[in-house]
Amino acid sequence: GRARMDAIRRNQSVTVTRLADTAYRVGAEPHRRLPMGVTFKPAGSLATVTFTGLGILSTAPGNFIVRTSSTSRLVLVWRSGHVSVR
């Protein structure tokens, strides 16, 4: 959501990069950490997603898998730039 809105607001591409199991970066900003106890599952998760200034993906659509000790969620990123959680 936020990276897509930044791309639209700036009218330029913004890339979200998964840096590690618990860290990611939005554009050129400093890295961010997932909340304590939440991790990315690297296998099957995208490494990067780039939103154009129109808010659509310039990379292939895919998903991120995030998990806690008791559950996993699939975060789907569609070609349109919309994101849904299952």
Side-chain angles (χ1 to χ4, degrees):
R2 185 175 153 258
R4 181 175 183 249
M5 294 309 297
D6 282 354
I8 293 169
R9 184 175 29 254
R10 297 176 188 170
N11 194 28
Q12 65 184 35
S13 294
V14 172
T15 299
V16 178
T17 306
R18 180 175 45 85
L19 300 173
D21 288 355
T22 60
Y24 65 98
R25 180 183 324 265
V26 177
E29 296 177 3
H31 75 276
R32 298 169 179 223
R33 295 208 174 274
L34 294 174
M36 189 170 203
V38 178
T39 61
F40 287 114
K41 180 179 177 191
S45 288
L46 294 169
T48 63
V49 172
T50 301
F51 296 94
T52 69
L54 297 175
I56 59 175
L57 290 184
S58 65
T59 53
N63 61 67
F64 292 99
I65 301 169
V66 291
R67 62 185 174 188
T68 65
S69 60
S70 61
T71 190
S72 291
R73 293 285 184 247
L74 186 64
V75 180
L76 299 164
V77 184
W78 303 96
R79 168 79 57 207
S80 64
H82 291 96
V83 176
S84 62
V85 179
R86 294 188 184 166

